[in-house]
Amino acid sequence: MLSIAMPSNVEIKAKVSDLQEFARKAARLSQSEGTIIRQHDTFFNCSQGRLKLRDFMNGSGQLIFYERPDTDGPKLSRYSISPTSDPPSMKAVLSDALGVKGEVRKERRLFLIGQTRVHLDTVEGLGHFMELEVVMRPEQSVNEGQQVAVDLMEQLGVSEENLVTGAYMDLILKGHTEA
């Protein structure tokens, strides 16, 4: 098998109990109010990793394949992305070919803090979460990326007991609901 280096990031996901407080801290650290992005993700059956079609609900989207361990705390995620200008057509083809595993609808508020994408997500049926995606530079080690994530987690007031494993799709399939 040919091994091609995929882009990677270190990710952390956690439940957010106080949406306004988290948004205030993220806005202060990013010096911006963030960008609102609506997303409708369709996950498809695949033999390894996860494959999803992200529809931005504006005529554009992305087909995203990614692999990461289902553990809490900072974890390395490797991914590849292909843009699409016709998400509904791509969804129909992939649904026929692979079958749909499930769907996730969310409103995401994106903040950029250094090399980290900070997401404040309101996920339909699940509630409020935050994700940190430390976009790794080629020369950085996983440990360096994890340290960036841990430091930012502390600055944002995210506690370890609120960490979440897996993807939103996994939580939906396991029957988690808003508390």
Side-chain angles (χ1 to χ4, degrees), residues 38-109:
R38 287 177 55 229
Q39 298 177 341
H40 178 177
D41 292 347
T42 303
F43 285 77
F44 299 96
N45 297 313
C46 67
S47 59
Q48 65 178 38
R50 293 184 175 97
L51 181 66
K52 69 182 171 187
L53 176 64
R54 172 160 288 160
D55 188 338
F56 292 112
M57 313 305 292
N58 64 4
S60 71
Q62 298 173 323
L63 183 62
I64 304 167
F65 170 76
Y66 64 102
E67 296 176 295
R68 70 164 183 244
D70 288 329
T71 57
D72 60 11
K75 52 196 155 279
L76 185 68
S77 175
R78 297 187 187 285
Y79 58 91
S80 53
I81 298 175
S82 178
T84 179
S85 58
D86 189 359
S89 175
M90 185 170 282
K91 178 180 176 181
V93 170
L94 290 169
S95 296
D96 287 348
L98 302 172
V100 172
K101 185 174 185 178
E103 298 182 77
V104 176
R105 290 175 178 81
K106 64 181 172 278
E107 182 176 278
R108 168 164 285 173
R109 190 164 163 192

Side-chain angles (χ1 to χ4, degrees), residues 145-161:
Q146 289 173 331
Q147 193 56 55
V148 170
V150 167
D151 292 347
L152 194 49
M153 201 173 110
E154 194 173 297
Q155 292 175 61
L156 290 166
V158 177
S159 61
E160 288 198 19
E161 60 263 19

